[in-house]
Amino acid sequence: MANEEDDPVVQEIDVYLAKSLAEKLYLFQYPVRPASMTYDDIPHLSAKIKPKQQKVELEMAIDTLNPNYCRSKGEQIALNVDGACTDESSTYSSKLMDKQTFCSSQSTSNTARYAAALYRQGELHLTPLHGILQLRPSFSYLDKADAKHREREAANEAGDSSQDEAEEDVKQITVRFSRPESEQARQRRVQSYEFLQKKHAEEPWVHLHYYGLRDSRSEHERQYLLCQGSSGVENTELVKSPSEYLMMLMPPSPEEEKDKPVAPSNVLSMAQLRTLPLADQIKILMKNVKVMPFANLMSLLGPSIDSVAVLRGIQKVAMLVQGNWVVKSDILYPKDSSSPHSGVPAEVLCRGRDFVMWKFTQSRWVVRKEVAAVTKLCTEDVKDFLEHMAVVRVNKGWEFILPSDGDFIKKHPDVVQRQHMLWTGIQAKLEKVYNLVKEGLPKKPDGQSGVQGSAALLSGDQRVQAAKSKAQQNHALLERELQRRKEQMRVSAVLPGVRIKEEPMSEGEDEEDQDAEEDEEPMDTSLGGGLHNRLANGLPSGRAAGGDSFNGHPLPGCASTPVARELRAFVEATFQRQFVLTLSELKRLFNLHLASLPPGHTLFSGISDRMLQDTVLAAGCKQILVPFPPQTAASPDEQKVFALWESGDMSDQHRQVLLEIFSKNYRVRRNMIQSRLTQECGEDLSKQEVDKVLKDCCVSYGGMWYLKGTVQS
């Protein structure tokens, strides 16, 4: 109160908002000038503007009679720019630099908080500014002088060459036809810097007339800075509360707005959501939630929404799985997008996620390894699919995240039947793409609805018994294989130069092996892996590892063979892209590489696991002995981890320290990695450098970091 008494109000001024020139008023800021001279005293020869860019050019006359003007310098500049001859295109027709050009640049992009004020007869009239432009001298005439100089030098060089040639030599011309431009290429071209510069250059100049301060036209235009009506019709914006008036007069700057906490770009409030059409509301909710019961969706949309309309809309963006709605794959992975982990296109991702959804229509449980084996996708992509709709259970697999909604199935049998028909069509496509019947994957039992019910679960004892039975079958097969090996070694000892041809297993043995593989059992056994490892790409491992030849052909173990060179090239290229790989992942990538090769390629001669590992070690990689936990479910091939030790870049030392950490730890926290890197490298690494090393070699899961391929779901 004391401060208010010391600073009394001495006068109240009415404020008016004039809008006659609101979209036309610009403020020009000229360079520093002598206080005794105004720009109104300098003749303006011409002025032009590009309205869209808010770009202005002004030409002002220079007082050549001023004693401070250097006439010899002005003549020299005019000579350099225009040359000796003068014509209409000359910049300085008087052979003297008698004018100067000023070009504008925007001093601020936000002019909403600036206004021009005119005080008259106790009233303050405000007109909003449309733009604030700073005018600076333009030296484009120097570029023109340089161009003239280069032309003269080129003419002199051409004159020194042969003067007798009447015409130029005949040159061959290559004609090329441009291919049609795709929509994606056109969008990139439109957004390029060159295209924007070209568009700016194409905007035509609008020539302006300059009127001095004392001109009658200037006085007439100046009247528009006053509010035209005294009745207050134009000033409805000012009939507001003091706080609103201050906010209009001084809106917050963009920097202040950035400091305020805002919601993420993908977050939409329910009030904003309900202003959208019903179809968009359903799509946004399903895209964010991924899996939702129909009752929850209706509660989010509000009681006034018709359930029939919601049912019609939900079927466009989601599929029914165990009575719950799961968002469609093409909503999450739109066309022309790709995986952030592996770069796989959206079409392949949608197909893999549809396979996961289809598996959940058959059972409440899905095994990640089975999904990865069928879809041939990387672990991170498969894990994303499963995390959308399932939760992981230790030693069991992934369970569907919601219980089966029997109430919806009973209330809407027509929707369930329609969805069942859609799943039947999707199943047919998946069987064709992934060869599901050939792979021996389980089919849906007759009479079981893939959407309505869930498959029966096996108890823990049943799983153990099934695993024991599978191990016994594999043990018998291994015993027979061992007997054949012993017989071969005995005969080789008697006849050193003779090899016994190994006959393939009988059909009964093949069927037993196939039946063992078809068992949809999430538990792994090491005995089962031994049977598959005895054949490497169609060639017995015993044959591939020993001897220099087989049936008269050189084996790939010889370093000088084309097979060894091709394998070495594949291994080096693979580890340059991915610094850390398990043997299992490397074999998967090698099989994909084989599938892309033409028939009859040298690599089809057969590559054993031993030769693949030897080639990896010979290519400058090292095996990292990761201490897996005793209860790990990783197969022997998944426990063999190889890493590129030296790639030739600046991060080799950082990666080597990281790999040494994981040779003693199965999983590590980030702060431990960062402190160890700082200790070993002797410098404070930035967050970007640590992130790069972790991205090259590791994956994060549950707040811990693992080497790639070693984390088990």
Side-chain angles (χ1 to χ4, degrees):
M1 295 296 293
N3 293 335
E4 292 181 0
E5 293 177 358
D6 294 341
D7 189 16
V9 176
V10 296
Q11 184 181 2
E12 292 187 358
I13 301 174
D14 293 332
V15 180
Y16 294 91
L17 182 64
K19 298 191 293 183
S20 300
L21 300 177
E23 301 295 329
K24 306 173 185 178
L25 189 61
Y26 290 86
L27 175 63
F28 289 177
Q29 296 176 340
Y30 289 89
V32 178
R33 50 175 172 71
S36 60
M37 182 184 69
T38 64
Y39 281 102
D40 190 60
D41 300 330
I42 302 176
H44 288 65
L45 301 180
S46 64
K48 54 185 179 181
I49 185 174
K50 288 186 176 182
K52 292 182 180 179
Q53 303 176 42
Q54 293 190 4
K55 184 176 180 181
V56 174
E57 279 193 8
L58 297 179
E59 280 190 359
M60 294 185 179
I62 298 177
D63 185 9
T64 59
L65 301 179
N66 192 292
N68 296 323
Y69 180 80
C70 181
R71 191 174 186 86
S72 61
K73 190 66 176 177
E75 292 176 350
Q76 183 63 44
I77 293 175
L79 180 62
N80 293 339
V81 173
D82 297 327
C85 59
T86 58
D87 51 20
E88 295 181 356
S89 61
S90 299
T91 305
Y92 304 113
S93 57
S94 62
K95 296 185 179 182
L96 191 67
M97 183 180 176
D98 55 357
K99 59 185 177 180
Q100 187 175 15
T101 303
F102 290 84
C103 287
S104 69
S105 62
Q106 292 189 22
S107 61
T108 178
S109 58
N110 181 20
T111 59
R113 58 188 303 175
Y114 296 97
L118 183 62
Y119 182 74
R120 179 173 294 183
Q121 297 179 359
E123 298 174 347
L124 184 65
H125 298 260
L126 301 178
T127 302
L129 290 177
H130 188 61
I132 301 177
L133 305 178
Q134 291 182 347
L135 293 168
R136 295 182 175 89
S138 173
F139 302 98
S140 57
Y141 59 87
L142 297 178
D143 298 332
K144 190 174 180 181
D146 291 341
K148 289 278 187 181
H149 180 67
R150 286 193 295 268
E151 290 177 2
R152 285 194 293 268
E153 287 185 348
N156 293 335
E157 291 177 0
D160 295 339
S161 61
S162 60
Q163 302 290 332
D164 299 332
E165 296 181 359
E167 58 183 2
E168 297 180 356
D169 296 337
V170 178
K171 295 182 180 180
Q172 183 179 358
I173 299 176
T174 303
V175 180
R176 295 182 180 179
F177 296 93
S178 60
R179 63 182 60 184
E181 185 180 31
S182 63
E183 181 63 23
Q184 188 175 6
R186 191 190 69 82
Q187 291 179 357
R188 286 198 301 268
R189 180 177 59 82
V190 169
Q191 296 174 0
S192 64
Y193 176 76
E194 292 79 7
F195 183 83
L196 294 177
Q197 288 294 100
K198 183 180 178 182
K199 292 293 290 183
H200 288 168
E202 290 176 352
E203 183 181 357
W205 288 100
V206 178
H207 290 273
L208 307 175
H209 296 283
Y210 178 81
Y211 296 95
L213 179 64
R214 301 173 184 82
D215 192 276
S216 59
R217 179 64 183 268
S218 297
E219 182 64 29
H220 174 74
E221 292 292 333
R222 199 156 40 244
Q223 296 299 320
Y224 288 111
L225 295 176
L226 301 174
C227 184
Q228 301 300 310
S230 59
S231 60
V233 177
E234 285 197 47
N235 295 282
T236 55
E237 292 86 350
L238 301 183
V239 186
K240 296 181 181 296
S241 64
S243 60
E244 292 175 337
Y245 167 68
L246 288 176
M247 184 61 67
M248 291 176 57
L249 192 62
M250 293 291 293
S253 63
E255 292 78 9
E256 295 173 353
E257 293 179 354
K258 290 180 182 177
D259 295 338
K260 296 180 180 179
V262 295
S265 58
N266 61 339
V267 174
L268 197 65
S269 67
M270 293 302 298
Q272 293 173 318
L273 183 68
R274 287 174 179 170
T275 61
L276 301 176
L278 180 60
D280 293 339
Q281 295 184 44
I282 297 173
K283 182 177 179 179
I284 292 173
L285 287 173
M286 291 306 304
K287 188 174 181 179
N288 284 274
V289 181
K290 310 272 189 318
V291 184
M292 191 187 306
F294 185 73
N296 290 11
L297 179 62
M298 289 299 300
S299 64
L300 290 174
L301 294 176
S304 61
I305 304 299
D306 183 17
S307 61
V308 177
V310 176
L311 274 175
R312 226 174 6 246
I314 190 67
Q315 295 182 65
K316 297 178 181 178
V317 297
M319 296 292 292
L320 194 64
V321 178
Q322 300 185 22
N324 300 283
W325 291 99
V326 182
V327 64
K328 288 183 177 180
S329 302
D330 55 359
I331 301 296
L332 296 179
Y333 304 107
K335 190 178 179 181
D336 297 332
S337 63
S338 60
S339 167
H341 306 295
S342 59
V344 174
E347 182 182 0
V348 180
L349 293 176
C350 291
R351 197 160 54 224
R353 188 174 180 275
D354 287 345
F355 175 75
V356 175
M357 294 169 62
W358 172 75
K359 289 292 294 180
F360 276 121
T361 65
Q362 311 297 305
S363 171
R364 286 196 60 81
W365 298 89
V366 166
V367 182
R368 179 184 59 81
K369 292 182 181 179
E370 178 187 321
V371 176
V374 173
T375 60
K376 303 295 189 297
L377 293 172
C378 69
T379 305
E380 289 79 5
D381 288 333
V382 175
K383 195 167 295 181
D384 282 349
F385 300 158
L386 293 170
E387 288 175 348
H388 289 169
M389 62 192 82
V391 291
V392 64
R393 306 294 185 192
V394 180
N395 295 331
K396 289 186 178 181
W398 291 78
E399 183 184 12
F400 193 67
I401 195 170
L402 295 177
S404 180
D405 191 352
D407 293 340
F408 181 84
I409 295 173
K410 293 178 182 178
K411 290 180 181 178
H412 305 280
D414 53 337
V415 176
V416 174
Q417 180 63 26
R418 191 179 305 113
Q419 289 290 309
H420 175 62
M421 294 173 62
L422 292 175
W423 277 120
T424 303
I426 293 175
Q427 178 182 351
K429 293 181 180 178
L430 294 175
E431 288 177 350
K432 183 178 179 181
V433 173
Y434 293 132
N435 296 323
L436 299 185
V437 178
K438 183 178 180 180
E439 293 285 343
L441 292 179
K443 288 188 176 182
K444 185 176 64 175
D446 295 338
Q448 178 184 358
S449 174
V451 181
Q452 297 179 11
S454 60
L457 302 178
L458 296 176
S459 65
D461 294 338
Q462 290 174 331
R463 293 177 181 274
V464 173
Q465 292 298 329
K468 287 182 178 179
S469 175
K470 179 179 179 181
Q472 291 173 359
Q473 293 175 1
N474 293 338
H475 181 70
L477 294 174
L478 291 174
E479 284 290 340
R480 288 194 290 272
E481 177 67 16
L482 180 61
Q483 292 298 328
R484 281 198 293 268
R485 296 286 178 84
K486 289 181 178 180
E487 182 67 19
Q488 178 185 358
M489 294 173 63
R490 185 180 62 80
V491 174
S492 299
V494 177
L495 301 173
V498 179
R499 286 186 180 274
I500 303 273
K501 180 181 179 182
E502 294 189 10
E503 296 295 336
M505 293 187 300
S506 62
E507 295 180 0
E509 293 173 343
D510 286 337
E511 292 174 359
E512 291 177 4
D513 190 12
Q514 184 177 1
D515 292 338
E517 292 178 358
E518 288 180 358
D519 184 11
E520 188 176 302
E521 178 61 49
M523 185 179 296
D524 289 335
T525 58
S526 59
L527 290 175
L531 176 62
H532 294 288
N533 288 336
R534 97 175 167 272
L535 292 179
N537 299 323
L539 191 66
S541 59
R543 296 179 183 176
D548 294 334
S549 65
F550 175 67
N551 293 339
H553 298 283
L555 281 179
C558 304
S560 60
T561 62
V563 178
R565 291 194 295 270
E566 289 284 340
L567 183 60
R568 177 71 175 264
F570 163 75
V571 170
E572 291 178 347
T574 302
F575 276 92
Q576 284 294 335
R577 293 192 302 269
Q578 304 184 42
F579 293 90
V580 177
L581 286 172
T582 63
L583 180 59
S584 174
E585 179 66 8
L586 182 61
K587 289 163 65 176
R588 185 185 73 84
L589 295 175
F590 182 67
N591 288 330
L592 291 176
H593 179 64
L594 287 178
S596 65
L597 296 176
H601 195 273
T602 55
L603 287 180
F604 286 104
S605 59
I607 304 297
S608 66
D609 292 354
R610 178 62 179 274
M611 182 184 179
L612 187 58
Q613 295 179 65
D614 292 344
T615 306
V616 170
L617 297 175
C621 301
K622 289 189 178 182
Q623 184 173 358
I624 310 301
L625 301 178
V626 180
F628 283 80
Q631 70 276 14
T632 181
S635 65
D637 284 351
E638 290 178 332
Q639 296 185 31
K640 293 181 180 179
V641 184
F642 297 91
L644 182 62
W645 197 249
E646 292 183 358
S647 64
D649 61 9
M650 301 294 293
S651 302
D652 280 346
Q653 182 184 3
H654 304 158
R655 279 193 294 268
Q656 291 169 11
V657 174
L658 182 66
L659 295 173
E660 289 176 359
I661 295 174
F662 280 100
S663 65
K664 300 177 182 178
N665 303 275
Y666 173 60
R667 57 182 182 179
V668 189
R669 293 192 179 275
R670 180 190 173 98
N671 55 2
M672 176 182 175
I673 295 174
Q674 188 149 4
S675 62
R676 181 69 180 275
L677 285 172
T678 303
Q679 178 183 354
E680 294 291 334
C681 300
E683 56 182 354
D684 290 331
L685 300 179
S686 64
K687 181 178 182 298
Q688 290 77 11
E689 292 175 320
V690 177
D691 289 343
K692 181 183 184 303
V693 177
L694 292 175
K695 183 180 179 182
D696 291 343
C697 305
C698 305
V699 293
S700 176
Y701 185 77
M704 304 293 289
W705 287 90
Y706 303 77
L707 274 185
K708 286 185 177 179
T710 62
V711 60
Q712 302 295 318
S713 300

